[in-house]
Amino acid sequence: TQLLEQSPQFLSIQEGENLTVYCNSSSVFSSLQWYRQEPGEGPVLLVTVVTGGEVKKLKRLTFQFGDARKDSSLHITAAQPGDTGLYLCAGALPDTGNQFYFGTGTSLTVIP
Amino acid sequence: DTGVSQDPRHKITKRGQNVTFRCDPISEHNRLYWYRQTLGQGPEFLTYFQNEAQLEKSRLLSDRFSAERPKGSFSTLEIQRTEQGDSAMYLCASGPGYGYTFGSGTRLTVV
């Protein structure tokens, strides 16, 4: 059973479009992270959120942590081909804070 | 220091052979993690070190797997008597706390 479910699993959009990726769980997390991974490489950390309701912006990327700290979303505005990759969310449980549980990922393709 | 370094990048081995992977973390990071990632899945936690102490191990880490971090610097992950199911990307990450920096991984193929 996957602790974190991501949706959609695959997303193919045209350059310039907006998109939202969701990361959902029935568990409460002490912190949640978003990563982007390219083929054959390790994940690269984009953001860490720790407070329920927190919103963080990174250029065209907006990250939100749910009020109950069970879910998160990643919104990309005006997607570019360079945004193509596998987006992974990862959460730390309050009682096992040293390991992060990863979602299955959302594979994004931005078509020029 | 340019990041987390893993060696080798690729390893092909015959079933039953032993393999060892190395990870050099970012020097000032005292936490080091090993994860395994199979195709189409997110990384799965294997084990965690704080300095030289191995503090957590996943149930995924069978008796055939062993990890060390002598002197709290680099780490090695050894798999004995490899099986085809061990084929995966093995990722190392280091961090001071929140947020990891991952290496590029070692792709293991067991034939």
Side-chain angles (χ1 to χ4, degrees):
Chain A
T1 303
Q2 199 75 25
L3 198 60
L4 281 164
E5 297 287 342
Q6 287 187 240
S7 62
Q9 189 175 357
F10 298 97
L11 191 55
S12 182
I13 62 171
Q14 295 290 328
E15 182 176 0
E17 293 183 347
N18 302 333
L19 67 116
T20 302
V21 174
Y22 299 94
C23 175
N24 295 300
S25 178
S26 57
S27 300
V28 176
F29 293 96
S30 56
S31 68
L32 194 139
Q33 303 174 343
W34 284 92
Y35 292 84
R36 185 173 75 201
Q37 185 176 26
E38 298 191 10
E41 297 295 327
V44 175
L45 179 67
L46 298 174
V47 77
T48 299
V49 287
V50 297
T51 305
E54 183 176 2
V55 176
K56 282 192 173 179
K57 291 192 175 183
L58 185 66
K59 297 183 180 178
R60 293 176 294 101
L61 278 60
T62 302
F63 305 86
Q64 184 162 11
F65 201 11
D67 291 341
R69 290 185 290 134
K70 293 182 178 181
D71 54 79
S72 181
S73 63
L74 159 60
H75 182 78
I76 301 179
T77 303
Q80 298 177 0
D83 296 327
T84 294
L86 179 68
Y87 288 82
L88 294 158
C89 64
L93 294 175
D95 55 348
T96 58
N98 291 316
Q99 67 169 281
F100 280 79
Y101 296 86
F102 280 82
T104 50
T106 294
S107 179
L108 171 65
T109 301
V110 182
I111 302 165
Chain B
D1 197 8
T2 56
V4 178
S5 177
Q6 291 191 245
D7 183 69
R9 289 294 308 273
H10 304 275
K11 178 71 177 178
I12 300 174
T13 190
K14 291 184 178 180
R15 190 175 54 185
Q17 297 293 306
N18 299 342
V19 294
T20 300
F21 311 138
R22 178 181 170 119
C23 171
D24 287 274
I26 292 173
S27 57
E28 60 265 30
H29 289 174
N30 59 358
R31 300 185 180 201
L32 186 147
Y33 307 81
W34 285 98
Y35 279 78
R36 182 174 71 186
Q37 186 176 24
T38 53
L39 206 60
Q41 299 294 319
E44 296 174 296
F45 172 80
L46 291 179
T47 190
Y48 157 68
F49 289 85
Q50 182 150 343
N51 299 312
E52 67 274 11
Q54 188 175 19
L55 299 183
E56 287 185 38
K57 290 172 63 173
S58 164
R59 290 189 303 273
L60 293 174
L61 217 63
S62 74
D63 291 345
R64 297 184 297 105
F65 288 71
S66 62
E68 294 182 341
R69 192 184 182 194
K71 302 179 182 178
S73 56
F74 72 92
S75 177
T76 58
L77 177 68
E78 181 184 16
I79 309 174
Q80 296 182 327
R81 304 181 304 282
T82 51
E83 302 172 355
Q84 286 188 322
D86 296 331
S87 294
M89 174 81 88
Y90 289 84
L91 293 162
C92 175
S94 70
Y98 287 137
Y100 301 164
T101 300
F102 278 89
S104 296
T106 294
R107 168 73 65 187
L108 173 66
T109 303
V110 181
V111 298

Short mmCIF file of all heavy atoms in Angstrom, two decimals, chain A residues 2 9 30-31 33 35 37 40-45 48 50 86 88 96-105, chain B residues 9 31 33 35 37 40-45 48 50 55-56 89 91 97-105 107:
data_model
loop_
_atom_site.label_atom_id
_atom_site.label_comp_id
_atom_site.label_asym_id
_atom_site.label_seq_id
_atom_site.Cartn_x
_atom_site.Cartn_y
_atom_site.Cartn_z
N GLN A 2 0.62 2.14 -0.96
CA GLN A 2 1.40 3.36 -1.10
C GLN A 2 0.90 4.39 -0.10
O GLN A 2 -0.29 4.68 -0.01
CB GLN A 2 1.24 3.88 -2.54
CG GLN A 2 2.30 4.83 -2.96
CD GLN A 2 3.63 4.17 -3.26
OE1 GLN A 2 3.70 2.99 -3.58
NE2 GLN A 2 4.70 4.92 -3.12
N GLN A 9 -0.86 10.32 -12.96
CA GLN A 9 0.38 9.56 -13.08
C GLN A 9 1.19 10.05 -14.27
O GLN A 9 2.42 10.09 -14.22
CB GLN A 9 0.05 8.08 -13.24
CG GLN A 9 1.27 7.17 -13.15
CD GLN A 9 0.91 5.71 -13.19
OE1 GLN A 9 -0.27 5.35 -13.23
NE2 GLN A 9 1.90 4.84 -13.19
N SER A 30 4.87 15.44 9.13
CA SER A 30 5.53 16.56 9.80
C SER A 30 6.16 17.50 8.79
O SER A 30 6.33 18.69 9.07
CB SER A 30 6.60 16.04 10.77
OG SER A 30 7.52 15.22 10.09
N SER A 31 6.52 16.99 7.63
CA SER A 31 7.02 17.83 6.55
C SER A 31 6.81 17.10 5.23
O SER A 31 6.63 15.88 5.22
CB SER A 31 8.51 18.16 6.73
OG SER A 31 9.29 17.00 6.58
N GLN A 33 8.09 17.18 0.97
CA GLN A 33 9.01 17.73 -0.01
C GLN A 33 8.54 17.40 -1.42
O GLN A 33 7.85 16.41 -1.64
CB GLN A 33 10.40 17.12 0.20
CG GLN A 33 10.95 17.34 1.60
CD GLN A 33 12.25 16.61 1.82
OE1 GLN A 33 12.61 15.70 1.08
NE2 GLN A 33 12.97 17.01 2.84
N TYR A 35 10.25 16.89 -5.33
CA TYR A 35 11.47 16.69 -6.09
C TYR A 35 11.12 16.60 -7.57
O TYR A 35 10.01 16.22 -7.95
CB TYR A 35 12.15 15.37 -5.71
CG TYR A 35 12.74 15.32 -4.31
CD1 TYR A 35 11.94 15.01 -3.22
CD2 TYR A 35 14.09 15.55 -4.09
CE1 TYR A 35 12.46 14.95 -1.95
CE2 TYR A 35 14.63 15.48 -2.82
CZ TYR A 35 13.82 15.18 -1.76
OH TYR A 35 14.35 15.12 -0.49
N GLN A 37 12.83 14.68 -11.00
CA GLN A 37 13.84 13.71 -11.39
C GLN A 37 13.84 13.56 -12.90
O GLN A 37 12.79 13.43 -13.52
CB GLN A 37 13.54 12.34 -10.74
CG GLN A 37 14.60 11.29 -11.00
CD GLN A 37 14.31 10.00 -10.26
OE1 GLN A 37 13.17 9.67 -9.95
NE2 GLN A 37 15.36 9.22 -9.96
N GLY A 40 17.65 8.67 -15.49
CA GLY A 40 19.02 8.30 -15.21
C GLY A 40 19.72 9.14 -14.16
O GLY A 40 20.92 8.97 -13.94
N GLU A 41 18.98 10.03 -13.52
CA GLU A 41 19.55 10.90 -12.50
C GLU A 41 18.79 10.75 -11.19
O GLU A 41 17.69 10.21 -11.15
CB GLU A 41 19.51 12.35 -12.95
CG GLU A 41 20.34 12.64 -14.19
CD GLU A 41 21.82 12.43 -13.98
OE1 GLU A 41 22.30 12.68 -12.84
OE2 GLU A 41 22.51 12.01 -14.93
N GLY A 42 19.40 11.25 -10.11
CA GLY A 42 18.70 11.25 -8.84
C GLY A 42 17.72 12.40 -8.75
O GLY A 42 17.82 13.38 -9.50
N PRO A 43 16.76 12.32 -7.83
CA PRO A 43 15.80 13.41 -7.65
C PRO A 43 16.51 14.68 -7.15
O PRO A 43 17.48 14.60 -6.40
CB PRO A 43 14.85 12.87 -6.58
CG PRO A 43 15.03 11.39 -6.58
CD PRO A 43 16.46 11.17 -6.96
N VAL A 44 15.98 15.83 -7.57
CA VAL A 44 16.51 17.11 -7.13
C VAL A 44 15.44 17.82 -6.31
O VAL A 44 14.31 17.98 -6.77
CB VAL A 44 16.92 17.97 -8.35
CG1 VAL A 44 17.35 19.37 -7.89
CG2 VAL A 44 18.04 17.31 -9.13
N LEU A 45 15.81 18.22 -5.11
CA LEU A 45 14.86 18.87 -4.20
C LEU A 45 14.41 20.21 -4.76
O LEU A 45 15.23 21.04 -5.13
CB LEU A 45 15.51 19.06 -2.82
CG LEU A 45 14.65 19.75 -1.77
CD1 LEU A 45 13.45 18.87 -1.39
CD2 LEU A 45 15.49 20.07 -0.53
N THR A 48 10.65 22.29 0.48
CA THR A 48 10.18 21.60 1.68
C THR A 48 9.12 22.47 2.32
O THR A 48 9.32 23.68 2.50
CB THR A 48 11.33 21.38 2.67
OG1 THR A 48 12.34 20.57 2.06
CG2 THR A 48 10.83 20.68 3.93
N VAL A 50 6.49 22.68 5.79
CA VAL A 50 6.39 22.09 7.12
C VAL A 50 5.15 22.53 7.88
O VAL A 50 4.77 21.88 8.86
CB VAL A 50 7.64 22.39 7.97
CG1 VAL A 50 8.87 21.79 7.34
CG2 VAL A 50 7.82 23.88 8.17
N LEU A 86 10.00 13.82 -13.97
CA LEU A 86 9.18 13.08 -13.01
C LEU A 86 9.12 13.89 -11.73
O LEU A 86 10.16 14.19 -11.14
CB LEU A 86 9.80 11.70 -12.74
CG LEU A 86 9.06 10.81 -11.74
CD1 LEU A 86 7.72 10.36 -12.31
CD2 LEU A 86 9.91 9.58 -11.38
N LEU A 88 8.08 14.14 -7.89
CA LEU A 88 7.87 13.24 -6.75
C LEU A 88 7.59 14.04 -5.50
O LEU A 88 8.28 15.02 -5.21
CB LEU A 88 9.13 12.39 -6.50
CG LEU A 88 9.51 11.38 -7.57
CD1 LEU A 88 10.99 11.03 -7.47
CD2 LEU A 88 8.67 10.12 -7.44
N THR A 96 8.57 8.87 12.57
CA THR A 96 9.72 8.28 11.86
C THR A 96 10.34 9.36 11.00
O THR A 96 10.44 9.22 9.79
CB THR A 96 9.32 7.07 11.00
OG1 THR A 96 8.32 7.50 10.05
CG2 THR A 96 8.79 5.95 11.83
N GLY A 97 10.76 10.42 11.62
CA GLY A 97 11.16 11.62 10.89
C GLY A 97 12.41 11.48 10.07
O GLY A 97 12.73 12.37 9.31
N ASN A 98 13.14 10.37 10.23
CA ASN A 98 14.40 10.26 9.51
C ASN A 98 14.25 9.64 8.14
O ASN A 98 15.21 9.64 7.37
CB ASN A 98 15.40 9.44 10.33
CG ASN A 98 15.85 10.20 11.56
OD1 ASN A 98 16.14 11.37 11.48
ND2 ASN A 98 15.89 9.53 12.69
N GLN A 99 13.14 9.06 7.83
CA GLN A 99 12.95 8.52 6.49
C GLN A 99 11.77 9.21 5.83
O GLN A 99 10.82 9.59 6.48
CB GLN A 99 12.76 7.01 6.51
CG GLN A 99 11.48 6.53 7.14
CD GLN A 99 11.27 5.05 6.87
OE1 GLN A 99 10.84 4.68 5.78
NE2 GLN A 99 11.55 4.20 7.84
N PHE A 100 11.90 9.39 4.54
CA PHE A 100 10.85 10.01 3.76
C PHE A 100 10.17 8.95 2.90
O PHE A 100 10.82 8.10 2.32
CB PHE A 100 11.41 11.12 2.87
CG PHE A 100 11.63 12.40 3.62
CD1 PHE A 100 12.74 12.57 4.43
CD2 PHE A 100 10.70 13.43 3.55
CE1 PHE A 100 12.93 13.75 5.13
CE2 PHE A 100 10.89 14.60 4.26
CZ PHE A 100 12.01 14.76 5.05
N TYR A 101 8.85 9.02 2.85
CA TYR A 101 8.06 8.11 2.03
C TYR A 101 7.72 8.83 0.73
O TYR A 101 7.11 9.90 0.77
CB TYR A 101 6.78 7.70 2.76
CG TYR A 101 7.04 6.91 4.02
CD1 TYR A 101 7.27 7.55 5.23
CD2 TYR A 101 7.07 5.52 3.99
CE1 TYR A 101 7.52 6.83 6.39
CE2 TYR A 101 7.32 4.79 5.15
CZ TYR A 101 7.54 5.45 6.34
OH TYR A 101 7.80 4.74 7.48
N PHE A 102 8.11 8.24 -0.37
CA PHE A 102 7.89 8.87 -1.67
C PHE A 102 6.59 8.40 -2.31
O PHE A 102 6.18 7.25 -2.13
CB PHE A 102 9.05 8.53 -2.62
CG PHE A 102 10.27 9.36 -2.39
CD1 PHE A 102 11.17 9.05 -1.39
CD2 PHE A 102 10.53 10.48 -3.20
CE1 PHE A 102 12.31 9.83 -1.18
CE2 PHE A 102 11.66 11.25 -3.00
CZ PHE A 102 12.54 10.93 -1.99
N GLY A 103 5.98 9.31 -3.06
CA GLY A 103 4.86 8.94 -3.90
C GLY A 103 5.36 8.23 -5.15
O GLY A 103 6.58 8.12 -5.38
N THR A 104 4.43 7.78 -5.98
CA THR A 104 4.79 7.05 -7.20
C THR A 104 5.21 7.99 -8.33
O THR A 104 5.77 7.55 -9.31
CB THR A 104 3.62 6.19 -7.69
OG1 THR A 104 2.45 7.01 -7.74
CG2 THR A 104 3.39 5.02 -6.76
N GLY A 105 4.95 9.27 -8.16
CA GLY A 105 5.43 10.22 -9.13
C GLY A 105 4.42 10.61 -10.20
O GLY A 105 3.49 9.87 -10.50
N ARG B 9 28.29 4.10 -11.78
CA ARG B 9 26.99 4.58 -12.27
C ARG B 9 26.13 3.42 -12.77
O ARG B 9 24.91 3.44 -12.65
CB ARG B 9 27.18 5.59 -13.41
CG ARG B 9 27.73 6.92 -12.97
CD ARG B 9 26.75 7.68 -12.07
NE ARG B 9 25.42 7.80 -12.63
CZ ARG B 9 25.03 8.76 -13.46
NH1 ARG B 9 25.88 9.70 -13.84
NH2 ARG B 9 23.77 8.81 -13.90
N ARG B 31 24.02 13.27 7.89
CA ARG B 31 23.00 12.24 7.64
C ARG B 31 23.19 11.67 6.24
O ARG B 31 23.37 12.41 5.27
CB ARG B 31 21.60 12.82 7.76
CG ARG B 31 21.31 13.39 9.14
CD ARG B 31 19.89 13.84 9.24
NE ARG B 31 19.62 14.38 10.59
CZ ARG B 31 18.41 14.48 11.10
NH1 ARG B 31 17.37 14.09 10.41
NH2 ARG B 31 18.25 14.99 12.30
N TYR B 33 21.58 8.55 3.56
CA TYR B 33 20.46 7.65 3.32
C TYR B 33 20.73 6.82 2.07
O TYR B 33 21.33 7.30 1.11
CB TYR B 33 19.18 8.44 3.08
CG TYR B 33 18.85 9.47 4.14
CD1 TYR B 33 19.45 10.72 4.14
CD2 TYR B 33 17.90 9.20 5.13
CE1 TYR B 33 19.16 11.67 5.11
CE2 TYR B 33 17.59 10.14 6.09
CZ TYR B 33 18.21 11.37 6.08
OH TYR B 33 17.91 12.32 7.03
N TYR B 35 18.41 4.66 -0.76
CA TYR B 35 17.08 4.37 -1.28
C TYR B 35 17.23 3.46 -2.49
O TYR B 35 18.27 3.43 -3.15
CB TYR B 35 16.36 5.65 -1.73
CG TYR B 35 15.71 6.43 -0.61
CD1 TYR B 35 16.47 7.25 0.22
CD2 TYR B 35 14.34 6.36 -0.39
CE1 TYR B 35 15.87 7.98 1.25
CE2 TYR B 35 13.73 7.08 0.63
CZ TYR B 35 14.51 7.88 1.44
OH TYR B 35 13.91 8.60 2.44
N GLN B 37 15.12 2.46 -6.14
CA GLN B 37 14.03 2.88 -7.02
C GLN B 37 13.93 1.93 -8.20
O GLN B 37 14.90 1.72 -8.93
CB GLN B 37 14.27 4.31 -7.52
CG GLN B 37 13.12 4.88 -8.34
CD GLN B 37 13.36 6.33 -8.73
OE1 GLN B 37 14.50 6.78 -8.81
NE2 GLN B 37 12.28 7.08 -8.97
N GLY B 40 9.27 3.19 -12.76
CA GLY B 40 7.88 3.59 -12.59
C GLY B 40 7.46 3.79 -11.16
O GLY B 40 6.27 4.04 -10.89
N GLN B 41 8.40 3.67 -10.23
CA GLN B 41 8.07 3.84 -8.81
C GLN B 41 8.90 4.97 -8.20
O GLN B 41 9.95 5.35 -8.72
CB GLN B 41 8.36 2.55 -8.05
CG GLN B 41 7.55 1.35 -8.52
CD GLN B 41 6.08 1.51 -8.27
OE1 GLN B 41 5.66 2.00 -7.22
NE2 GLN B 41 5.27 1.13 -9.24
N GLY B 42 8.42 5.48 -7.07
CA GLY B 42 9.22 6.41 -6.32
C GLY B 42 10.28 5.67 -5.52
O GLY B 42 10.18 4.45 -5.33
N PRO B 43 11.29 6.37 -5.05
CA PRO B 43 12.33 5.73 -4.24
C PRO B 43 11.76 5.12 -2.96
O PRO B 43 10.84 5.68 -2.36
CB PRO B 43 13.28 6.88 -3.90
CG PRO B 43 13.06 7.88 -5.00
CD PRO B 43 11.62 7.79 -5.33
N GLU B 44 12.33 3.97 -2.55
CA GLU B 44 11.93 3.30 -1.30
C GLU B 44 13.11 3.34 -0.34
O GLU B 44 14.24 2.99 -0.71
CB GLU B 44 11.55 1.85 -1.58
CG GLU B 44 10.34 1.67 -2.46
CD GLU B 44 10.12 0.21 -2.80
OE1 GLU B 44 11.00 -0.38 -3.47
OE2 GLU B 44 9.10 -0.34 -2.40
N PHE B 45 12.84 3.71 0.89
CA PHE B 45 13.86 3.84 1.92
C PHE B 45 14.49 2.49 2.23
O PHE B 45 13.79 1.49 2.39
CB PHE B 45 13.22 4.43 3.18
CG PHE B 45 14.12 4.45 4.38
CD1 PHE B 45 15.08 5.44 4.54
CD2 PHE B 45 14.00 3.49 5.37
CE1 PHE B 45 15.90 5.47 5.66
CE2 PHE B 45 14.81 3.50 6.49
CZ PHE B 45 15.76 4.51 6.64
N TYR B 48 19.47 4.40 6.97
CA TYR B 48 19.85 5.76 7.33
C TYR B 48 21.00 5.73 8.33
O TYR B 48 20.99 4.92 9.27
CB TYR B 48 18.62 6.46 7.94
CG TYR B 48 18.90 7.63 8.85
CD1 TYR B 48 19.44 8.80 8.35
CD2 TYR B 48 18.61 7.56 10.21
CE1 TYR B 48 19.69 9.88 9.19
CE2 TYR B 48 18.85 8.63 11.06
CZ TYR B 48 19.39 9.79 10.54
OH TYR B 48 19.63 10.86 11.36
N GLN B 50 23.42 8.31 10.81
CA GLN B 50 23.80 9.62 11.34
C GLN B 50 25.25 9.47 11.79
O GLN B 50 25.55 8.71 12.70
CB GLN B 50 22.92 10.06 12.51
CG GLN B 50 23.30 11.44 13.02
CD GLN B 50 22.14 12.22 13.60
OE1 GLN B 50 20.98 11.88 13.37
NE2 GLN B 50 22.44 13.25 14.35
N LEU B 55 21.13 4.03 12.07
CA LEU B 55 20.05 4.21 13.01
C LEU B 55 18.73 3.58 12.59
O LEU B 55 17.89 3.30 13.43
CB LEU B 55 19.84 5.70 13.32
CG LEU B 55 21.02 6.42 13.95
CD1 LEU B 55 20.67 7.87 14.26
CD2 LEU B 55 21.49 5.70 15.22
N GLU B 56 18.54 3.43 11.30
CA GLU B 56 17.28 2.84 10.83
C GLU B 56 17.55 1.93 9.65
O GLU B 56 18.41 2.22 8.80
CB GLU B 56 16.29 3.94 10.39
CG GLU B 56 15.67 4.73 11.52
CD GLU B 56 14.63 5.70 11.04
OE1 GLU B 56 13.88 5.36 10.11
OE2 GLU B 56 14.56 6.82 11.59
N MET B 89 17.62 1.00 -9.42
CA MET B 89 18.53 2.12 -9.22
C MET B 89 18.72 2.28 -7.72
O MET B 89 17.73 2.39 -6.98
CB MET B 89 17.94 3.40 -9.82
CG MET B 89 18.76 4.65 -9.52
SD MET B 89 20.16 4.83 -10.61
CE MET B 89 19.37 5.73 -11.94
N LEU B 91 20.00 4.66 -4.89
CA LEU B 91 20.25 6.08 -4.70
C LEU B 91 20.79 6.36 -3.31
O LEU B 91 20.29 5.82 -2.32
CB LEU B 91 18.96 6.88 -4.89
CG LEU B 91 18.37 6.89 -6.29
CD1 LEU B 91 16.91 7.31 -6.25
CD2 LEU B 91 19.15 7.85 -7.18
N GLY B 97 19.42 17.83 7.52
CA GLY B 97 18.14 17.81 8.21
C GLY B 97 17.04 17.74 7.18
O GLY B 97 16.94 16.79 6.43
N TYR B 98 16.22 18.78 7.10
CA TYR B 98 15.17 18.79 6.08
C TYR B 98 15.78 18.84 4.69
O TYR B 98 16.63 19.64 4.40
CB TYR B 98 14.27 20.02 6.24
CG TYR B 98 13.36 19.95 7.43
CD1 TYR B 98 13.18 21.05 8.24
CD2 TYR B 98 12.68 18.78 7.74
CE1 TYR B 98 12.33 21.01 9.32
CE2 TYR B 98 11.84 18.72 8.83
CZ TYR B 98 11.67 19.84 9.61
OH TYR B 98 10.83 19.79 10.68
N GLY B 99 15.28 17.98 3.82
CA GLY B 99 15.73 18.02 2.43
C GLY B 99 17.00 17.24 2.20
O GLY B 99 17.95 17.34 2.94
N TYR B 100 16.95 16.41 1.17
CA TYR B 100 18.11 15.61 0.82
C TYR B 100 18.74 16.17 -0.45
O TYR B 100 18.07 16.75 -1.29
CB TYR B 100 17.70 14.19 0.44
CG TYR B 100 16.97 13.36 1.43
CD1 TYR B 100 16.31 12.23 1.00
CD2 TYR B 100 16.93 13.65 2.79
CE1 TYR B 100 15.64 11.40 1.87
CE2 TYR B 100 16.26 12.83 3.66
CZ TYR B 100 15.62 11.70 3.21
OH TYR B 100 14.95 10.89 4.08
N THR B 101 20.03 15.88 -0.61
CA THR B 101 20.69 16.01 -1.90
C THR B 101 21.01 14.60 -2.35
O THR B 101 21.72 13.87 -1.65
CB THR B 101 21.98 16.83 -1.79
OG1 THR B 101 21.66 18.15 -1.32
CG2 THR B 101 22.65 16.94 -3.15
N PHE B 102 20.45 14.21 -3.48
CA PHE B 102 20.66 12.87 -4.00
C PHE B 102 21.86 12.82 -4.93
O PHE B 102 22.18 13.80 -5.63
CB PHE B 102 19.43 12.41 -4.79
CG PHE B 102 18.32 11.87 -3.94
CD1 PHE B 102 17.34 12.71 -3.44
CD2 PHE B 102 18.25 10.51 -3.65
CE1 PHE B 102 16.31 12.21 -2.65
CE2 PHE B 102 17.22 10.00 -2.87
CZ PHE B 102 16.24 10.86 -2.37
N GLY B 103 22.49 11.66 -4.97
CA GLY B 103 23.46 11.38 -6.01
C GLY B 103 22.75 10.94 -7.28
O GLY B 103 21.51 10.86 -7.32
N SER B 104 23.53 10.65 -8.31
CA SER B 104 22.94 10.24 -9.59
C SER B 104 22.55 8.77 -9.60
O SER B 104 21.93 8.32 -10.56
CB SER B 104 23.93 10.52 -10.72
OG SER B 104 24.17 11.91 -10.82
N GLY B 105 22.93 8.04 -8.57
CA GLY B 105 22.50 6.67 -8.45
C GLY B 105 23.42 5.66 -9.12
O GLY B 105 24.27 6.01 -9.95
N ARG B 107 22.87 2.17 -11.24
CA ARG B 107 21.88 1.31 -11.89
C ARG B 107 22.41 -0.11 -11.87
O ARG B 107 23.42 -0.39 -12.49
CB ARG B 107 21.64 1.78 -13.31
CG ARG B 107 20.85 0.80 -14.18
CD ARG B 107 19.40 0.75 -13.82
NE ARG B 107 18.71 2.00 -14.06
CZ ARG B 107 17.45 2.24 -13.68
NH1 ARG B 107 16.78 1.32 -13.02
NH2 ARG B 107 16.91 3.40 -13.93
#
